[in-house]
Amino acid sequence: ASTPSGLAKITPLNAAFMTLDDQPVDPVIVHRLLDAGADPRLDPKPEFIAERLTDVDAQTARRLFEHHLDPNLGNGLSNAIQYSRADLVREFIRAGVDLNSYRDKPLGTLPLVKAVQFKKWEIVDLLIEAGRVNAWADRHAEAARRYRQAIAAAPQRRDDVLLALAWQLAWGGHHDEAIPLFREVAERLPAQKSEALHGLAESLAASNQLLPALDVYRTLAADPADLRA
C-alpha cells in the first residue's frame, strides 16, 4: 500500500499492534495475518512488534518468532521481565535471544541484572536455567558466563549455581579456575561435598597435580557408598 510522502510504511502486522486507548492486541488478527503470509522481517519497524509482545499471549509470541521475528530487537525481553511475563521470557529464550546483550540502551542492563533489580525471582530462575541449557549443548564458556552473571546479580543464589559453574569451567578446560570453586563447595556445602570432591580430583589430575588428586580420591574411597571413587 502507498503512503503519503515522508511517512514510514506500515504493514498490516505492524498495524495490528497499534491499538488505541490502551486496547489489547487481538491475537486472532495476528494469527490470521501470519497464516496469510505476513513476515516480520519485511516490516519497517519490527522492533515495535517485539516491544509490544507483552500485549499478547505466549503462543502468539512463539508464532511470531517462528515467523522470523528477531528476539533481539528493541527492549522486548526487558519489557517481558519488567511485566513479570515468565511465559514470554521462556519464548524469548526458546527463540535464541542473546542473554548477554545489554538492553535498555543507553542504560545498558543485562537481562539477569534487570530481573534481580525488579525482584522477578521466577525469571531469575529461568535465566539461570538457560545457563544449564547451554551446558547440555556443550557450550561451556557460555554456560559459565551465565552462572557468573547469576552470582553477580543475585549473590544469595551463589550456593545454587557454584557447583554447576565449577563443572562448566572444568569441562571447558579452565581447571585453575574450577579447583578453588570445587574446594569451596566441598568445604561449605555438605550435601554437594561428594560431587565437588570428584570434580576437584578430576581437575587436579587434569592439571598434572597428581599427588593432590590421589589424596582426594583416597578421601572419596574411604566412603563405601561412593562407587565412583
Side-chain angles (χ1 to χ4, degrees):
S2 62
T3 57
S5 177
L7 295 181
K9 293 181 179 179
I10 298 175
T11 65
L13 186 60
N14 196 291
F17 284 83
M18 291 182 175
T19 57
L20 299 175
D21 299 324
D22 296 324
Q23 292 297 310
V25 175
D26 187 342
V28 174
I29 293 176
V30 176
H31 283 275
R32 287 180 177 172
L33 288 171
L34 293 173
D35 289 340
D39 189 339
R41 294 173 297 182
L42 303 180
D43 196 281
K45 290 184 68 66
E47 66 276 8
F48 174 75
I49 297 174
E51 293 180 349
R52 290 292 305 273
L53 288 180
T54 49
D55 292 340
V56 299
D57 57 86
Q59 181 183 4
T60 302
R62 182 182 298 186
R63 285 214 65 199
L64 283 160
F65 289 136
E66 289 172 349
H67 282 72
H68 311 294
L69 177 66
D70 186 346
N72 294 301
L73 291 173
N75 294 325
L77 176 60
S78 293
N79 291 346
I81 292 171
Q82 187 170 346
Y83 286 94
S84 301
R85 289 291 305 277
D87 59 334
L88 197 52
V89 172
R90 286 190 186 93
E91 297 306 325
F92 273 96
I93 293 172
R94 186 195 302 270
V97 69
D98 182 2
L99 294 173
N100 296 310
S101 174
Y102 287 85
R103 310 284 166 175
D104 297 331
K105 293 178 174 59
L107 297 179
T109 303
L110 285 169
L112 183 60
V113 174
K114 188 178 186 74
V116 173
Q117 288 174 340
F118 283 91
K119 299 182 179 180
K120 311 297 185 182
W121 303 119
E122 181 182 2
I123 292 174
V124 170
D125 288 337
L126 280 175
L127 297 175
I128 290 174
E129 184 62 27
R132 295 193 176 99
V133 171
N134 282 311
W136 296 333
D138 291 334
R139 295 191 291 268
H140 304 304
E142 172 70 11
R145 183 162 55 249
R146 197 71 48 75
Y147 287 135
R148 280 179 164 143
Q149 288 176 355
I151 292 172
Q156 68 271 31
R157 304 300 302 275
R158 177 181 174 85
D159 291 355
D160 295 335
V161 300
L162 195 59
L163 183 57
L165 171 59
W167 276 117
Q168 292 311 308
L169 290 169
W171 290 334
H174 299 284
H175 298 288
D176 56 331
E177 298 178 62
I179 286 170
L181 299 186
F182 281 130
R183 289 192 192 279
E184 180 182 347
V185 174
E187 292 171 0
R188 291 200 306 104
L189 304 173
Q192 302 178 42
K193 181 177 180 178
S194 177
E195 185 70 19
L197 288 176
H198 278 284
L200 177 59
E202 290 182 22
S203 282
L204 287 169
S207 301
N208 206 31
Q209 301 181 52
L210 301 182
L211 290 178
L214 183 58
D215 288 340
V216 177
Y217 279 124
R218 283 172 176 158
T219 299
L220 288 165
D223 181 1
D226 194 324
L227 301 179
R228 288 170 59 186

